[in-house]
C-alpha cells in the first residue's frame, strides 16, 4: 500500500471523515478490503441515449471495470455530460468546453488515483482529453468505435457523407423521397460513431496518435468483440499507469502533437481536428499554432482511402491494419517522433510490427491516395488575417485556384431560406459566403459551412462551389469549403465587411484568401460596422460562452480554462 496514494486522503482518513467516506461507498455492496490502498480508478463515461454514438458505452464501461479489478484496482464509474452532434442544437461544439469543465472538476473533487476516459461522438473525445490534461491524473482513453459499414442497394453507405449526397440527389431529381427513406435506414445499422473519416473517427485515431489510447484500439467497430477486449486491457493498464505515475503531461508533448498532426494528414482526417488539438495543447502548455497544421504536413501524402475523401469505411480501415500501419509508414519516412505513450513504450516501438493487410485501403508511400501536401491547408490574407483552413483531400482540384463574385449571407438560416429558390441570383463560379457562424456569432461554431449547392445549380449538374464561412464543416462532409475564418464576423473580422458583388480570390497552392477590395474601402466599411445585439444571451451558459470563448485559431477554448490546474486534493469539509 502506498500511504501517499491520492485516494487514501479520503478512504484512509481517520475518525469521522474516513468513516463517512467509506460507509457511504459501502452502500453499493463493497467490502472493507477495497479501501486497503489499492488504486481507485474513475471510469468517466459519456454514455447517453441522447448521444446515439455513445449509447453503448455502459457496456464498454463494464469491460473496463473487469480489467481494473483484474489488475488489483478499485473501479468507480461516473457520468460526464454527453454531447452528441447528431441531436444537440445548435451544435455540440457549444458544449465541448462544458464537458471539459465538468470532467475536470469531477476528477479533481473525487477520490481518484487514475481515470479511464470513455468517449465516442465528436466532442466527447477532445472534451475529456482537455479535462484530463488540466487535472493531470494518470489517464487512458477508450473510444467507443465506429458503426459497421452502411449498406444500400449492394454498395457501401457512409454515415454523414451520404446524408449530403442523398440530399443533393433528391433536390436534383435523381433520387425519389421514397428511395431516400429506405437509404436513411441503411446508414446507421449498429452501435458506434460515424464509420466515415468524420470527426469522431478522426479524434479516435488522433487520441491513439497522441499516445493516449492503446495501439490499434481506435478502429475496432463498436460491436466487434475486440472493442471490449481493448476496453478490458485499458482497465488493466490504467492501474499500471497509476503505479508508475505516468501522467498526461508526460505523454502530451510537442512531439506527440506533431505525430497527431501528421497522422491527421495521412488519414485524410477532419478539419475539426485543428481546433481540438489546439485546445488540448493549450491545456498542457504546448506551443502549438495554426501554421503547424500546414508546414508539418507538407511531406505527408494522404494514405487512407476512406470517405469522404476516398472509397472505403472504418471497418475496412480496421481490418487492413488500422492506425498502427499509418504510423509505421510515417516512421519509415522519418516523420514519427519517438514519444512516450500509455503503453509505457514509445510510439515507434508500439507500431514497429504493424502489418498492412490491404494496400488498397491503406496505400503505400509510393502509391498514395493523394500526393504529399494534400492535407489541411492554412490560408492567410486580408479576409482571414488570423487564418482559415481548407481540407484539400475533400475539395475539387479545379476550384483550388479560383476567383469569383461573392454572394453573401449573414447566417446559415438566411441562406437556407432561399437556396431552393429557382430565381436565386447565383452562378456556378460565384463564391458563397456564410457568416455569423463562428464561436461567438452563432454561438458555438456549428457544422454549417458546407451549405448545399443551390438547387437550381444542382439541376444543372453543378456538384461543387467555393464556400467560405467562419463556421465549421462536418468531418463527414466534402467540397471546396474554406472554414474557421478568423477573426469571425461577429467580432468585426473582415468577413463581416464583405458585400455581395465583391470579388474574392482563393489560391490554395499559395495559401491565400483575399477579398479584392482596397484597404481604404475596407477601412470605411469597418468604421460603419457595429456588432449585432444578442439580448437573449444576457445570462446563462450561452452568455458565459460568448463572453469567454477564444477564436478558432486558439482552439475555441474558454480563456479561463487554458492551462493545467493539477490534481490538488480539495479541503475536507467533514
Amino acid at each position: 500500500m502506498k500511504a501517499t496514494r491520492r485516494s487514501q486522503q479520503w478512504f484512509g482518513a481517520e475518525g469521522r471523515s474516513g468513516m463517512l467516506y467509506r460507509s457511504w461507498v459501502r452502500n453499493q455492496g463493497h467490502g472493507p478490503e477495497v479501501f486497503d490502498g489499492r488504486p481507485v480508478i474513475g471510469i468517466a463515461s459519456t454514455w447517453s441515449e441522447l448521444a446515439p454514438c455513445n449509447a453503448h458505452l455502459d457496456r464498454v464501461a463494464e469491460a473496463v471495470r473487469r480489467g481494473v479489478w483484474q489488475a488489483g484496482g478499485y473501479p468507480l464509474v461516473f457520468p460526464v455530460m454527453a454531447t452528441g452532434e447528431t441531436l444537440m442544437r445548435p451544435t455540440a461544439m457549444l458544449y465541448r468546453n462544458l464537458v471539459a469543465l465538468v470532467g475536470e472538476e469531477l476528477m479533481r473533487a473525487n477520490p481518484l488515483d487514475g481515470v479511464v476516459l470513455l468517449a465516442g461522438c465528436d466532442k466527447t473525445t477532445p472534451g475529456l482529453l482537455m479535462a484530463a490534461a488540466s487535472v493531470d491524473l494518470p489517464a487512458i482513453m477508450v473510444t467507443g468505435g465506429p458503426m459497421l459499414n452502411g449498406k444500400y442497394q449492394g454498395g457501401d453507405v457512409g454515415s454523414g457523407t451520404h446524408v449530403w449526397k442523398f440530399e443533393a440527389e433528391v433536390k436534383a431529381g435523381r433520387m425519389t423521397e421514397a428511395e431516400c427513406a429506405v437509404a436513411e435506414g441503411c446508414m446507421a445499422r449498429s452501435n458506434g460513431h460515424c464509420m466515415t473519416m468524420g470527426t469522431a473517427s478522426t479524434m479516435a485515431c488522433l487520441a491513439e496518435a497522441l499516445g493516449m489510447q492503446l495501439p490499434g484500439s481506435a478502429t475496432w467497430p463498436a460491436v466487434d468483440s475486440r472493442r471490449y477486449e481493448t476496453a478490458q486491457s485499458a482497465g488493466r493498464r490504467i492501474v499500471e499507469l497509476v503505479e508508475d505515475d505516468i501522467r498526461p503531461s508526460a505523454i502530451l508533448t510537442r512531439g506527440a502533437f506533431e505525430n497527431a498532426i501528421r497522422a491527421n494528414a495521412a488519414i485524410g482526417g477532419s478539419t475539426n481536428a485543428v481546433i481540438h488539438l489546439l485546445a488540448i495543447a493549450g491545456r498542457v502548455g504546448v506551443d502549438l499554432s495554426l501554421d503547424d497544421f500546414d508546414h508539418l504536413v507538407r511531406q505527408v501524402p494522404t494514405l487512407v482511402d476512406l470517405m469522404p475523401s476516398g472509397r472505403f469505411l472504418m471497418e475496412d480501415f480496421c481490418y487492413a491494419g488500422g492506425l498502427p500501419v499509418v504510423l509505421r509508414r510515417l516512421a519509415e519516412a522519418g516523420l514519427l517522433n519517438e514519444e512516450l505513450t500509455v503503453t509505457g513504450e514509445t510510439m515507434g516501438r508500439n507500431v514497429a510490427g504493424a502489418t498492412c493487410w490491404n494496400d488498397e485501403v491503406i496505400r503505400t508511400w509510393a502509391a498514395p491516395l493523394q500526393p504529399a501536401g494534400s492535407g489541411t491547408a492554412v490560408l492567410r490574407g486580408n479576409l482571414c488575417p488570423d487564418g482559415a483552413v481548407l481540407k484539400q483531400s475533400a475539395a475539387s482540384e479545379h476550384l483550388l485556384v479560383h476567383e469569383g463574385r461573392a454572394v453573401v449571407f449573414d447566417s446559415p438560416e438566411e441562406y437556407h431560406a432561399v437556396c431552393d429558390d429557382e430565381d436565386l441570383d447565383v452562378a456556378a463560379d460565384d463564391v458563397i459566403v456564410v457568416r455569423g457562424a463562428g464561436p461567438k456569432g452563432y454561438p458555438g461554431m456549428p457544422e454549417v459551412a458546407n451549405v448545399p449547392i443551390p438547387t437550381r445549380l444542382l439541376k444543372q449538374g453543378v456538384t461543387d462551389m467555393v464556400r467560405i464561412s467562419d463556421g465549421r464543416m462536418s468531418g463527414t462532409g466534402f467540397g471546396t469549403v474554406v472554414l474557421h475564418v478568423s477573426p469571425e464576423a461577429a467580432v468585426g473580422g473582415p468577413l463581416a465587411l464583405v458585400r455581395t458583388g465583391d470579388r474574392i480570390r482563393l489560391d490554395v497552392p499559395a495559401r491565400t484568401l483575399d477579398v479584392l477590395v482596397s484597404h481604404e474601402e475596407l477601412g470605411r466599411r469597418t468604421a460603419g460596422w457595429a456588432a449585432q445585439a444578442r439580448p437573449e444571451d444576457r445570462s446563462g451558459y450561452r452568455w458565459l460562452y460568448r463572453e469567454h470563448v477564444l477564436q478558432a485559431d486558439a482552439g475555441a477554448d474558454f480563456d479561463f480554462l487554458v492551462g493545467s490546474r493539477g490534481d490538488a486534493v480539495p479541503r475536507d469539509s467533514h
Side-chain angles (χ1 to χ4, degrees):
M1 183 184 92
K2 292 187 179 180
T4 57
R5 186 93 69 203
R6 186 175 183 273
S7 60
Q8 283 298 293
Q9 296 186 54
W10 280 264
F11 297 139
E14 296 181 353
R16 182 182 62 185
S17 291
M19 186 183 302
L20 280 169
Y21 294 129
R22 292 187 297 270
S23 64
W24 283 113
V25 173
R26 290 184 68 177
N27 79 348
Q28 299 174 68
H30 300 301
E33 67 277 2
V34 298
F35 308 119
D36 62 2
R38 69 185 68 190
V40 178
I41 304 300
I43 302 173
S45 176
T46 54
W47 171 88
S48 172
E49 291 181 341
L50 288 173
C53 303
N54 297 23
H56 64 300
L57 291 184
D58 54 342
R59 298 194 297 280
V60 177
E62 285 301 316
V64 174
R65 192 199 297 265
R66 290 197 301 270
V68 174
W69 283 121
Q70 282 179 334
Y74 176 32
L76 293 168
V77 181
F78 65 97
V80 179
M81 177 183 179
T83 51
E85 193 67 75
T86 52
L87 296 181
M88 294 189 84
R89 292 184 178 181
T91 169
M93 184 62 180
L94 179 63
Y95 302 103
R96 181 203 65 179
N97 297 345
L98 187 55
V99 171
L101 177 59
V102 171
E104 173 183 346
E105 295 305 325
L106 287 173
M107 292 175 202
R108 185 179 294 110
N110 284 289
L112 304 177
D113 301 305
V115 63
V116 180
L117 313 170
L118 300 191
C121 198
D122 298 11
K123 312 308 177 296
T124 54
T125 302
L128 287 182
L129 286 174
M130 291 159 68
S134 285
V135 181
D136 205 29
L137 281 172
I140 190 170
M141 174 149 273
V142 177
T143 50
M147 295 183 283
L148 297 175
N149 291 0
K151 297 290 182 181
Y152 175 64
Q153 294 185 346
D156 282 343
V157 174
S159 54
T161 297
H162 274 79
V163 170
W164 322 123
K165 291 183 177 180
F166 290 152
E167 178 188 47
E169 290 293 289
V170 170
K171 285 188 173 185
R174 294 186 291 266
M175 185 180 201
T176 68
E177 292 283 0
E179 289 171 332
C180 190
V182 173
E184 177 185 305
C186 300
M187 282 189 283
R189 64 188 188 94
S190 78
N191 285 137
H193 59 66
C194 286
M195 82 299 274
T196 51
M197 190 53 77
T199 307
S201 295
T202 296
M203 292 312 299
C205 288
L206 297 193
E208 186 176 324
L210 284 168
M212 289 295 295
Q213 183 159 215
L214 291 176
S217 62
T219 59
W220 288 119
V223 295
D224 193 302
S225 63
R226 287 160 291 189
R227 167 61 50 196
Y228 296 92
E229 287 183 28
T230 296
Q232 188 165 323
S233 296
R236 292 195 300 270
R237 182 59 193 153
I238 187 60
V239 176
E240 297 167 351
L241 288 170
V242 171
E243 297 286 1
D244 296 337
D245 197 28
I246 297 176
R247 298 171 181 253
S249 56
I251 296 170
L252 296 173
T253 61
R254 165 75 190 193
F257 283 98
E258 291 180 357
N259 287 343
I261 289 171
R262 290 183 174 127
N264 188 56
I267 64 177
S270 169
T271 50
N272 289 316
V274 176
I275 285 183
H276 297 320
L277 289 176
L278 287 169
I280 298 165
R283 295 300 185 98
V284 287
V286 167
D287 183 15
L288 200 67
S289 74
L290 190 59
D291 290 329
D292 288 324
F293 290 83
D294 194 301
H295 73 75
L296 284 172
V297 304
R298 294 289 181 122
Q299 298 171 275
V300 181
T302 305
L303 298 179
V304 180
D305 190 350
L306 246 69
M307 298 179 195
S309 301
R311 299 173 292 163
F312 298 101
L313 294 166
M314 286 295 287
E315 196 176 349
D316 308 303
F317 182 33
C318 177
Y319 304 146
L323 190 69
V325 174
V326 175
L327 296 176
R328 179 178 178 178
R329 288 181 175 166
L330 286 171
E332 290 168 347
L335 295 173
L336 189 74
N337 298 315
E338 284 289 353
E339 302 296 322
L340 181 68
T341 73
V342 290
T343 66
E345 299 284 354
T346 64
M347 184 64 74
R349 285 181 177 271
N350 286 346
V351 303
T355 301
C356 182
W357 306 107
N358 190 333
D359 283 333
E360 270 196 272
V361 177
I362 309 175
R363 305 291 189 88
T364 64
W365 207 267
L369 177 68
Q370 295 197 25
S374 58
T376 299
V378 176
L379 310 174
R380 302 279 180 176
N382 71 354
L383 198 52
C384 53
D386 292 340
V389 301
L390 180 142
K391 184 176 179 178
Q392 295 181 85
S393 62
S396 299
E397 186 174 359
H398 71 282
L399 292 174
L400 294 180
V401 177
H402 181 78
E403 182 181 318
R405 180 187 68 132
V407 182
V408 181
F409 300 90
D410 285 325
S411 70
E413 291 80 8
E414 183 178 306
Y415 175 76
H416 286 290
V418 300
C419 69
D420 293 329
D421 189 342
E422 293 288 347
D423 297 321
L424 181 64
D425 180 18
V426 63
D429 59 353
D430 286 341
V431 176
I432 295 175
V433 175
V434 177
R435 60 194 176 199
K440 290 181 183 286
Y442 204 75
M445 205 179 178
E447 295 179 340
V448 296
N450 59 330
V451 293
I453 306 298
T455 300
R456 182 169 66 82
L457 298 181
L458 280 172
K459 291 178 178 179
Q460 295 173 12
V462 176
T463 58
D464 196 9
M465 294 175 67
V466 175
R467 287 151 281 176
I468 298 173
S469 179
D470 47 12
R472 297 180 299 115
M473 179 172 82
S474 170
T476 64
F478 53 91
T480 309
V481 189
V482 178
L483 309 157
H484 311 180
V485 172
S486 298
E488 64 176 302
V491 299
L495 197 67
L497 309 177
V498 180
R499 297 175 180 173
T500 294
D502 290 344
R503 303 291 294 180
I504 291 178
R505 179 166 178 78
L506 168 68
D507 189 335
V508 176
R511 300 299 195 265
T512 58
L513 177 68
D514 294 287
V515 56
L516 305 182
V517 174
S518 70
H519 180 73
E520 292 74 19
E521 173 60 19
L522 288 177
R524 284 190 289 271
R525 294 182 187 181
T526 299
W529 180 84
Q532 292 183 348
R534 297 281 184 175
E536 73 276 15
D537 291 334
R538 290 175 177 166
S539 64
Y541 178 73
R542 291 196 186 194
W543 172 85
L544 177 73
Y545 189 94
R546 286 188 193 274
E547 287 293 309
H548 292 283
V549 71
L550 298 170
Q551 288 292 290
D553 63 299
D557 199 359
F558 286 153
D559 52 14
F560 62 87
L561 289 181
V562 174
S564 177
R565 284 159 288 283
D567 70 338
V569 175
R571 289 183 296 176
D572 190 344
S573 62
H574 298 296

